[in-house]
Amino acid sequence: MVPSKCLALIAIAVLALNSLLQLNTDPYLQRQQQQQQYTEDNESNNLRASSGDYELEQEQPLPEETSEQLTLRILNRRDKERRMEDTNLPYTNNQNQQIISSSGMNEPSYICNRPADLGAPAQHATCPGSTTNSNKLILLDGTDTYGRTGNNLMEFLHALQYSRDNDIQLGVKYGSWAMRLLPRMWLSVTGDQSQWEEQFEKELCIKIIHKTVELREYDVIPIDTKSLLLYKSNQSLGEYASFQQQAIRTLFQNYNTGEGTTLAGYGTRNMCEGIDALFGKDSASAIYSVIHIRQLEKVGYAILAAVSKHTGCDPRAAIEMRPDYIRTILKPLGMLNHPIVVISDNQNIEAIQRLLDDPEIGPRIVLVPEEAAWSGGDMTLGVMSNVFIGNPASSFSGFVAKSRLALGKGHTYLFRARDNEGKWST
């Protein structure tokens, strides 16, 4: 089905824009050469956290379009055709329950009281490495990361994919970046510690490593977060999409509701916090759009230009989010009569003000209250919205879009361009 294939679209776009970073040598060949240099503190991996979503090598020329990027454009056209058949969005929202009930699941599923396709039981029940005699272990260690939350989530999904592709067990060092990241949003620490760890390992098919001495029985394959971000699966598009869907669904089957703690013992926040703050008792039935405004510091336009080269999207519109751009998406759907929620890193105040000043859009703009604004709450607002308008140069937008596709949500707009007549299309 096209929506399933489109799950890979977002990942391919991330790869397209990250081609700016990629060396001529396969990072995984480099990793194997460096495997023997692994040390306990992982300093030899030369990790470097970026203040933005990505770093750029300004002088590196853009590569020619790959077959994966060609697939991206084809899938983008097909997604446009699907949207054209479904222009009355408020009516579609009223039919969500019927869609969920007829999707083949045993019972309707919900996230923050809103319908979502969390799928049937996992088809990937056999964990990587469990049927072989290999003692290899891919290890996620250290606390340094490459980029912000969106990058880190993509990196973890790619770690799961790399483990699956190579049938090698995935290990995660206790206290490492991955175990600090996930329980803030999903699988919070609850009840008995050993029982929680058992559930964490079972749900994600990973092995928690507490002490370095435990690694003596393994042939350890260390891997840094930048390499994970750049990873290209060797699986077919359908197989890749299926596994990524299941991984995302597993996370959202275990989304945090404010109970439990992080690994450090701090209380977790409710992933539904943003939705509840804006819509309260009407959160289940609220019809709303979300715009993700992301400036990407000083490199935003350069990154979006790289994405534009491979996908044909406009090289500025998704950063500037001008009223006319938003109007061409929401008006045909009848969504200008409903709340338009803006989530942002507050770096592009000018774009937000333009929307507020627009006589048609401004009265519908809703900003998330400061006390309810955080990455998990903003993410869920975007994932569960009726319409999501994001920036394809942002990995946060990319993760939201990928999650929406996995959970059966349509009307996700990242790749927009003007035709020869100046009209916007996807």
Side-chain angles (χ1 to χ4, degrees):
M1 294 177 61
V2 172
S4 176
K5 288 185 177 181
C6 285
L7 175 61
L9 183 154
I10 307 305
I12 296 171
V14 171
L15 292 173
L17 64 95
N18 273 291
S19 62
L20 291 170
L21 300 169
Q22 199 162 12
L23 301 175
N24 291 331
T25 303
D26 188 320
Y28 282 84
L29 293 178
Q30 294 178 341
R31 174 193 54 71
Q32 291 182 359
Q33 295 170 358
Q34 297 170 352
Q35 179 175 337
Q36 301 302 321
Q37 300 178 9
Y38 173 74
T39 59
E40 178 181 349
D41 58 8
N42 209 26
E43 289 180 356
S44 63
N45 286 330
N46 295 322
L47 302 180
R48 180 171 49 159
S50 167
S51 60
D53 277 3
Y54 303 95
E55 294 174 281
L56 286 176
E57 296 177 6
Q58 298 289 349
E59 301 302 320
Q60 187 170 349
L62 292 173
E64 296 300 319
E65 182 179 52
T66 66
S67 60
E68 286 184 334
Q69 291 149 3
L70 174 63
T71 302
L72 167 63
R73 292 197 291 107
I74 293 172
L75 292 177
N76 214 18
R77 284 201 301 272
R78 290 177 180 173
D79 198 41
K80 173 186 175 182
E81 293 169 1
R82 178 181 61 80
R83 291 196 192 104
M84 289 174 65
E85 297 172 356
D86 181 19
T87 56
N88 191 338
L89 194 56
Y91 173 79
T92 301
N93 184 72
N94 294 335
Q95 301 304 310
N96 271 344
Q97 184 58 61
Q98 295 180 19
I99 294 172
I100 293 294
S101 299
S102 61
S103 64
M105 295 183 293
N106 294 328
E107 60 183 23
S109 300
Y110 299 89
I111 297 173
C112 304
N113 297 317
R114 298 175 69 83
D117 183 358
L118 291 173
Q123 298 178 358
H124 308 278
T126 303
C127 293
S130 62
T131 59
T132 67
N133 295 322
S134 172
N135 69 335
K136 291 184 178 180
L137 181 79
I138 301 166
L139 184 64
L140 306 184
D141 195 4
T143 58
D144 289 336
T145 57
Y146 188 74
R148 294 184 177 180
T149 301
N151 277 22
N152 304 153
L153 292 171
M154 291 293 193
E155 290 152 8
F156 182 73
L157 289 178
H158 287 180
L160 294 177
Q161 188 73 50
Y162 180 61
S163 171
R164 175 69 55 182
D165 292 350
N166 294 279
D167 197 18
I168 300 175
Q169 186 174 26
L170 178 63
V172 180
K173 192 73 175 291
Y174 192 87
S176 65
W177 65 269
M179 291 201 70
R180 293 184 178 190
L181 171 71
L182 296 176
R184 290 195 299 113
M185 303 181 191
W186 306 279
L187 290 162
S188 61
V189 181
T190 56
D192 179 77
Q193 177 78 13
S194 62
Q195 291 181 354
W196 171 79
E197 289 188 16
E198 182 179 351
Q199 181 194 9
F200 194 89
E201 291 179 326
K202 180 180 178 181
E203 293 284 351
L204 300 174
C205 269
I206 64 173
K207 172 70 176 176
I208 296 176
I209 302 296
H210 284 271
K211 298 180 180 179
T212 303
V213 68
E214 298 175 42
L215 298 174
R216 293 177 180 174
E217 61 181 283
Y218 295 104
D219 179 9
V220 176
I221 303 174
I223 188 167
D224 61 81
T225 51
K226 180 177 179 179
S227 295
L228 285 172
L229 187 66
L230 294 171
Y231 177 62
K232 295 182 179 181
S233 175
N234 57 16
Q235 299 298 307
S236 70
L237 186 60
E239 291 172 335
Y240 170 82
S242 175
F243 180 71
Q244 291 287 294
Q245 264 190 339
Q246 189 57 54
I248 290 171
R249 286 171 172 174
T250 296
L251 292 176
F252 279 98
Q253 286 166 0
N254 297 277
Y255 71 91
N256 289 352
T257 59
E259 299 179 359
T261 67
T262 64
L263 216 60
Y266 297 106
T268 58
R269 299 185 70 165
N270 189 343
M271 290 284 279
C272 306
E273 198 168 340
I275 295 176
D276 291 343
L278 294 181
F279 303 111
K281 61 182 178 62
D282 297 322
S283 60
S285 59
I287 299 173
Y288 69 98
S289 303
V290 164
I291 302 171
H292 178 218
I293 296 180
R294 181 76 168 91
Q295 181 76 21
L296 292 161
E297 287 80 24
K298 297 180 180 180
V299 298
Y301 287 110
I303 296 173
L304 192 54
V307 178
S308 174
K309 179 178 175 65
H310 299 295
T311 67
C313 71
D314 189 272
R316 303 182 68 87
I319 288 179
E320 296 174 351
M321 294 290 183
R322 293 184 178 275
D324 285 348
Y325 177 75
I326 301 301
R327 194 170 3 257
T328 59
I329 298 173
L330 299 184
K331 192 168 186 176
L333 300 174
M335 292 298 288
L336 289 180
N337 297 320
H338 300 277
I340 303 171
V341 180
V342 172
I343 58 176
S344 171
D345 58 1
N346 292 322
Q347 290 185 2
N348 194 351
I349 301 300
E350 181 181 352
I352 298 175
Q353 191 60 53
R354 276 197 300 264
L355 295 176
L356 288 169
D357 291 342
D358 185 84
E360 187 173 20
I361 294 175
R364 297 297 179 183
I365 292 294
V366 179
L367 302 179
V368 182
E370 184 177 352
E371 63 274 13
W374 69 289
S375 56
D378 287 356
M379 177 193 302
T380 311
L381 266 165
V383 170
M384 300 308 297
S385 64
N386 299 89
V387 177
F388 177 73
I389 304 172
N391 181 350
S394 164
S395 55
F396 187 90
S397 275
F399 184 82
V400 169
K402 199 170 185 179
S403 298
R404 287 175 60 80
L405 289 164
L407 299 173
K409 301 293 183 182
H411 296 284
T412 301
Y413 298 86
L414 271 72
F415 306 93
R416 300 275 286 173
R418 291 185 187 273
D419 60 22
N420 293 334
E421 298 178 354
K423 296 180 181 180
W424 288 103
S425 62
T426 299

